[in-house]
Amino acid sequence: MMNDKCGVFGVYGTPRASHLAYFGLYALQHRGQESAGIVAAGNGNVHIYKGMGEVNQIFSNRDILDRLKGHFALGHTRYSTTGASSLTNIQPLLITNQSRKLAVAHNGNLTNSLALRRRLEKSGSIFQTTSDTEIFLHLAALSGKRSWVNRICDAMKVVQGAYSLVFLTDESLIAVRDPLGFRPLALGQYNRHAYVVASETCAFDIIGAKYLRDIQPGEVLEISEKGLVSKFPLPKKQHAFCIFEYIYFARPDSRIFGENVDKIRRRLGRQLAKEHPADADIVIGIPDSANTATLGYSEESGIKFEIGLIRNHYVGRTFIDPEQKIRDLDVKVKFNPVRGVLRDKRVVVVDDSIVRGTTSKKLVQLIRSAGAKEIHLRISAPPIISPCYFGIDMPTRKELIASSKTVEEIRRYLEVDSLGYLSIDGMLSMPSLPKNNFCVSCFSGKYPLKIEATSDKHRLEKI
Ligand code: SF4
């Protein structure tokens, strides 16, 4: 079983919907680079095309999009953990049940997927993939209800975990968000009569759509020729929005969980400067994800912001590369220091997280080799001590450096002059957003949901 941590995009009510889905996925590429797919529907026909690689590689030929005819479409861009990056797991997943089609694209991770899968297999279900997303399709197919939307509501009564989903049926799109709302999902308007849903609002900007609102936690929103119909089939729960989306994952030009990512990320940097000031000449960020927090640090501290590292954009992000081999490639492939900026300087380096510590160590060596006199590492998040079971790919607890080392031990391992992490309270001090609406489990080790006993990553990957 795999963790899916991805981008989803749906559009309803416009000709050439697949072309818009392509651009939407293009804007969501940072949420997954391993594979992508689009399913389009209209006039009783459903067409699908999927492939391994990045969106522009898969849909390199516009004829492919032209063949995906219809006035509504669903797209997905995917990243998965090691072990099962196979063609069969590429989303959207599409089934036919009693001559009716159902496709699904998922961002998130179920926390009771093993138990559900075993139960379904015992009662005769045959799984085509190793993805937990397929569970929704089996549960929906087994429900005795007539409409897909009611079948999906039934499935929600048994699944647990993080899911922002978009389904495509023969006549509608159905957007769904789990009751805790771990992953973002937004609704927008395109032209006068079309609607779009996407993991992040940057996918609206690229096609000129207008953000209307978030899909609410626990909401099931059906979009069809009848317009929008919303349901809340489950009791309300305390929300658990993933704070890591703000820290690292979402694009700074997106609006998620009711606030602009840029604004929150900059505030994280400002708070970091208050908690961990440094006597230094310049502040640099690890590009690109730490750039915004670095600006916040510079604004608050008055230390000059400089571009000290250049990132090669043609290499995937270290944190989300599927293969360990790729993760171990020298950081030199990805970053090059600007010697003229760093030489003989006392440098504050801002990054958004330290996972295993191996990449950070190499980056420190790289900056040192460019002549930096002192390195003061600042992290715009608290130490990650526990894995994520809600859709962000992280290594096992043992591999997380902060699960077993103190800050001082990490400082010595990284060979930096000082090291400061943002505190949990500091991270949550966002005046516009209520603190207790966030999941901070990877920093606190306390989870808002029961994690099934077998949910350790290695067991999951061996399924
Ligand atoms: S555990 Fe961390 S990464 Fe996972 S949902 Fe919670 S805050 Fe986000």
Side-chain angles (χ1 to χ4, degrees):
M1 193 74 68
M2 305 166 57
N3 296 322
D4 288 330
K5 172 181 63 52
C6 315
V8 296
F9 183 90
V11 51
Y12 184 94
T14 183
R16 292 159 61 86
S18 61
H19 290 253
L20 292 182
Y22 166 79
F23 284 110
L25 292 185
Y26 201 76
L28 297 173
Q29 186 74 82
H30 63 291
R31 296 187 72 88
Q33 300 92 33
E34 189 185 296
S35 63
I38 295 174
V39 55
N43 299 324
N45 295 310
V46 177
H47 306 276
I48 188 163
Y49 191 86
K50 312 194 273 191
M52 300 294 286
E54 296 184 3
V55 177
N56 64 350
Q57 296 164 336
I58 298 160
F59 297 97
S60 56
N61 181 344
R62 289 307 151 92
D63 290 350
I64 298 169
L65 290 173
D66 288 339
R67 287 201 299 270
L68 296 173
K69 289 190 198 321
H71 64 283
F72 58 118
L74 168 61
H76 189 262
T77 176
R78 177 167 187 268
Y79 168 72
S80 69
T81 53
T82 318
S85 48
S86 64
L87 280 168
T88 51
N89 282 330
I90 304 174
Q91 296 192 23
L93 303 179
L94 173 66
I95 59 158
T96 306
N97 179 267
Q98 297 170 343
S99 309
R100 295 191 300 160
K101 302 276 194 223
L102 183 67
V104 63
H106 176 200
N107 173 209
N109 186 55
L110 303 187
T111 51
N112 64 341
S113 54
L114 289 176
L116 285 176
R117 186 172 170 128
R118 280 181 192 142
R119 207 178 84 194
L120 286 162
E121 281 176 336
K122 264 192 192 156
S123 57
S125 292
I126 297 166
F127 280 78
Q128 308 265 330
T129 74
T130 56
S131 160
D132 59 356
T133 308
E134 195 184 347
I135 288 168
F136 282 100
L137 298 176
H138 287 272
L139 289 171
L142 284 170
S143 160
K145 301 274 166 52
R146 247 182 70 77
S147 69
W148 277 127
V149 77
N150 287 333
R151 289 164 169 237
I152 289 163
C153 292
D154 276 354
M156 286 171 77
K157 290 173 190 153
V158 284
V159 297
Q160 280 161 23
Y163 51 91
S164 281
L165 299 159
V166 183
F167 292 90
L168 178 144
T169 76
D170 290 295
E171 63 280 330
S172 66
L173 282 186
I174 304 168
V176 179
R177 200 162 159 217
D178 68 77
L180 281 76
F182 285 99
R183 301 276 143 235
L185 192 62
L187 173 70
Q189 184 153 23
Y190 177 73
N191 289 340
R192 276 181 51 207
H193 302 295
Y195 290 100
V196 282
V197 281
S199 297
E200 292 183 37
T201 59
C202 62
F204 297 164
D205 299 335
I206 195 170
I207 56 164
K210 191 175 97 188
Y211 167 76
L212 293 178
R213 65 173 178 86
D214 283 1
I215 305 295
Q216 297 302 303
E219 183 175 5
V220 177
L221 181 77
E222 183 161 29
I223 309 170
S224 68
E225 61 179 26
K226 293 179 201 139
L228 304 178
V229 179
S230 171
K231 287 182 187 219
F232 288 84
L234 302 179
K236 275 209 156 104
K237 296 221 169 112
Q238 178 65 51
H239 299 158
F241 305 146
C242 170
I243 193 88
F244 217 74
E245 292 271 355
Y246 278 137
I247 294 166
Y248 164 79
F249 202 43
R251 264 175 46 168
D253 51 336
S254 287
R255 178 187 173 90
I256 58 165
F257 310 141
E259 199 43 282
N260 293 328
V261 176
D262 168 85
K263 183 172 156 192
I264 300 293
R265 206 167 279 176
R266 207 175 271 245
R267 190 172 288 142
L268 295 172
R270 294 190 85 105
Q271 182 64 25
L272 181 63
K274 284 185 199 155
E275 292 183 16
H276 297 285
D279 205 3
D281 305 308
I282 56 168
V283 53
I284 66 166
I286 305 297
D288 296 322
S289 54
N291 283 347
T292 312
T294 311
L295 276 171
Y297 192 99
S298 168
E299 284 161 9
E300 182 65 31
S301 63
I303 302 172
K304 192 176 172 206
F305 174 86
E306 284 280 8
I307 308 281
L309 285 174
I310 302 299
R311 184 176 159 194
N312 182 338
H313 285 94
Y314 304 97
V315 186
R317 289 206 231 181
T318 312
F319 186 54
I320 63 170
D321 283 334
E323 298 291 335
Q324 179 68 38
K325 272 184 286 192
I326 294 173
R327 221 164 3 222
D328 279 346
L329 273 180
D330 198 316
V331 291
K332 282 181 184 164
V333 171
K334 216 163 147 183
F335 299 103
N336 203 26
V338 185
R339 286 178 174 75
V341 167
L342 298 167
R343 193 176 302 121
D344 296 329
K345 295 285 193 327
R346 297 169 304 161
V347 185
V348 175
V349 179
V350 177
D351 203 356
D352 45 50
S353 50
I354 301 177
V355 183
R356 292 177 177 82
T358 43
T359 304
S360 308
K361 195 175 169 76
K362 287 177 189 173
L363 277 166
V364 166
Q365 285 164 354
L366 199 66
I367 294 165
R368 195 79 79 186
S369 73
K373 210 160 61 179
E374 291 176 17
I375 298 177
H376 302 277
L377 185 59
R378 299 292 180 263
I379 307 300
S380 61
I384 301 174
I385 58 167
S386 229
C388 174
Y389 297 103
F390 311 121
I392 296 276
D393 180 46
M394 282 185 193
T396 55
R397 189 182 311 265
K398 232 169 55 195
E399 295 168 275
L400 293 166
I401 191 168
S403 70
S404 59
K405 283 187 170 34
T406 63
V407 174
E408 174 53 22
E409 285 168 343
I410 298 169
R411 186 198 69 75
R412 269 190 266 133
Y413 167 75
L414 297 177
E415 299 180 78
V416 289
D417 297 275
S418 72
L419 171 64
Y421 283 92
L422 188 61
S423 65
I424 292 183
D425 281 346
M427 173 179 73
L428 293 172
S429 61
M430 297 179 278
S432 52
L433 298 169
K435 288 183 186 209
N436 52 3
N437 272 2
F438 286 94
C439 173
V440 295
S441 304
C442 48
F443 308 115
S444 67
K446 293 182 193 127
Y447 293 91
L449 281 177
K450 201 166 149 252
I451 309 298
E452 70 186 355
T454 44
S455 268
D456 107 59
K457 284 176 72 76
H458 293 298
R459 291 293 302 277
L460 289 171
E461 284 163 15
K462 278 178 190 155
I463 290 292

